[in-house]
Amino acid sequence: SPPVVYPEVLPKTARPPALSVVAPSSSGAPGATNGSQLAQSRPLAPKGGYKPPPDYRDARCKNVVHPSPSKLPTVTLVIPYLMEAWFQIRNTVVSLVAATNMDLVDEVRFVDDENPSDHKFRGELLALHPKVRVISNKKRLGLTRSKVVGSENVTSPVIIFLEPHLVFGPQWLEPLLSRMLISPRSTVVMPVIDIIKDPYTEDVPASRLYSEAGLDIGIFDLQTLTFDWADLRGHNRSYRDPEPFPSPAMAGGIFAIWNSYWEDSGRYDEGMGEWGGENIEMSIRLWTCGGRIEVVPCSRSFHWFRPKRPYVFHGEVGNRNTKRTAVVWLDEYLPTFMEGSPDMAEVDAGDVSSRVALRKKLQCKPFKWFLDEVCRDMYVP
């Protein structure tokens, strides 16, 4: 049977770019110079490197006064990487330092998922900034378990999971932390994910590199458990810019979570391999077990939705991940999933007893509650 394909899903509502860049500041006010950030930085942008993106934030975001850095929680950033181009990884770090008050960052942890020697970049990464660390897997674990490895022994109050082909918008971090500070600790927040257009190469000028994503929520198909985007206003007609808004599902690897809640809520299912399905599992688990997923429009990062993967992805592993999610979380809707994905009948989900026990321990609501209260528009055959 052919494997289920897990594409990198491009937001549907991409729009042409506008231009305006505001530098971040240590006080939270746009336009000021962050002296401590500059002092910690090293020469980072060789010719042909990082190109600052447009500022797509709503104008009202730029006038928000966030709590002082001393009142915001500090973060550790976790970034797994496998067979990435060096200039894209470098641009991720360069733009991070340019757009971030680094006083709020304890560590930037890159997780080397058993890259070959010409793609490890350990020395190069460590030379970019003194807060960069590199953790090396002794064997390939995949994206999901590499995030778990990267989160081990983190002492920061907040963990933010990122990807190695990002560019950060101005003052992207403070809105996430400010929202977390006033929300229940079970709230997981995400930036709006704008677009780095393909081809993403060093010689593409900034004017042709970036585009704006519309305000979308994450959803998924019940019969396949595959992720997709949906226009926010089609689901929430009362929405007012630039308020944070709930999203039934997360796209994948870019979100902020309290360290304690990451542990208490069950991290990722470590029975999953490589990647695929972990974002749907986490989305259902967060919502039904007392959590919440929100998008914060005043925080924006740019992601390259690449047309093909630079590494081998084993479809049967992704299928197994999805089957594990279905078996543990779908309850009486499991037959609906199996009817829509008949090839899954042959897939062994493995031992899911620990995740079933976690669901019981967390006193999670049934999947029907998710359909009734969180994702009311989901099509159920």
Side-chain angles (χ1 to χ4, degrees):
S1 300
V4 174
V5 177
Y6 297 86
E8 296 197 357
V9 183
L10 185 72
K12 295 176 179 177
T13 47
R15 298 191 292 271
L19 291 174
S20 173
V21 177
V22 177
S25 74
S26 58
S27 65
T33 300
N34 180 351
S36 65
Q37 172 187 321
L38 297 176
Q40 293 183 46
S41 304
R42 299 176 181 178
L44 291 174
K47 289 184 178 180
Y50 161 63
K51 298 175 178 69
D55 187 350
Y56 290 137
R57 294 176 297 167
D58 185 284
R60 285 162 288 192
C61 297
K62 304 172 190 180
N63 297 322
V64 173
V65 178
H66 296 284
S68 66
S70 64
K71 295 182 179 179
L72 289 172
T74 56
V75 307
T76 288
L77 311 178
V78 176
I79 311 175
Y81 68 105
L82 177 63
M83 296 300 294
E84 298 287 335
W86 165 243
F87 91 90
Q88 293 167 358
I89 297 180
R90 178 197 60 197
N91 286 357
T92 300
V93 180
V94 172
S95 71
L96 171 70
V97 174
T100 309
N101 179 355
M102 293 299 287
D103 289 344
L104 293 171
V105 178
D106 294 323
E107 294 181 273
V108 183
R109 292 188 174 189
F110 279 89
V111 184
D112 167 12
D113 194 19
E114 199 194 22
N115 281 280
S117 58
D118 61 344
H119 279 76
K120 287 186 175 298
F121 307 129
R122 181 181 180 85
E124 295 93 329
L125 280 166
L126 294 175
L128 286 178
H129 196 275
K131 293 189 176 182
V132 171
R133 310 284 185 268
V134 178
I135 300 168
S136 298
N137 294 339
K138 294 182 179 179
K139 63 178 182 178
R140 183 181 173 189
L141 299 178
L143 175 68
T144 303
R145 280 189 279 174
S146 290
K147 290 180 183 178
V148 175
V149 168
S151 73
E152 295 284 356
N153 302 313
V154 165
T155 58
S156 306
V158 171
I159 301 175
I160 302 183
F161 294 97
L162 299 169
E163 297 194 2
H165 35 263
L166 295 177
V167 168
F168 297 89
Q171 204 178 26
W172 69 281
L173 182 55
E174 287 88 345
L176 297 178
L177 298 181
S178 296
R179 183 63 180 176
M180 295 177 77
L181 208 56
I182 64 171
S183 303
R185 291 217 161 199
S186 56
T187 303
V188 175
V189 297
M190 305 181 296
V192 171
I193 303 173
D194 291 307
I195 300 157
I196 302 174
K197 293 190 285 189
D198 191 68
Y200 179 24
T201 59
E202 292 186 271
D203 57 347
V204 176
S207 61
R208 292 196 286 113
L209 190 58
Y210 303 110
S211 67
E212 182 180 3
L215 296 183
D216 292 336
I217 60 170
I219 59 173
F220 60 90
D221 182 89
L222 179 57
Q223 293 187 289
T224 60
L225 296 189
T226 51
F227 176 87
D228 203 355
W229 302 95
D231 178 60
L232 166 64
R233 288 180 175 83
H235 293 257
N236 184 352
R237 296 182 185 277
S238 63
Y239 174 75
R240 296 182 299 174
D241 288 316
E243 294 177 352
F245 56 87
S247 178
M250 56 173 59
I254 304 171
F255 62 91
I257 187 169
W258 288 102
N259 189 353
S260 58
Y261 186 60
W262 165 251
E263 296 293 335
D264 294 344
S265 65
R267 306 197 295 188
Y268 276 131
D269 177 359
E270 293 184 59
M272 292 186 175
E274 298 186 21
W275 65 275
E278 80 285 346
N279 59 319
I280 304 301
E281 189 275 344
M282 189 170 188
S283 299
I284 299 172
R285 173 164 45 89
L286 289 176
W287 279 108
T288 60
C289 304
R292 180 178 177 86
I293 301 169
E294 288 189 346
V295 178
V296 181
C298 287
S299 172
R300 306 187 79 109
S301 64
F302 294 74
H303 177 265
W304 179 41
F305 294 86
R306 54 193 173 196
K308 62 180 180 180
R309 305 178 194 94
Y311 53 81
V312 174
F313 173 73
H314 301 89
E316 65 274 13
V317 177
N319 288 347
R320 184 174 184 268
N321 297 346
T322 298
K323 181 73 172 286
R324 291 177 67 84
T325 301
V327 168
V328 173
W329 296 100
L330 294 190
D331 300 330
E332 68 266 33
Y333 296 91
L334 178 59
T336 302
F337 166 76
M338 296 302 297
E339 289 168 10
S341 302
D343 292 341
M344 287 291 182
E346 302 173 9
V347 175
D348 179 9
D351 182 3
V352 297
S353 59
S354 65
R355 303 307 283 183
V356 172
L358 173 70
R359 190 181 182 193
K360 183 177 181 180
K361 174 186 173 184
L362 297 177
Q363 300 180 353
C364 304
K365 296 180 176 69
F367 186 72
K368 187 178 188 307
W369 176 89
F370 179 84
L371 295 178
D372 291 342
E373 301 295 332
V374 180
C375 202
R376 299 185 185 95
D377 297 335
M378 180 179 287
Y379 171 67
V380 179

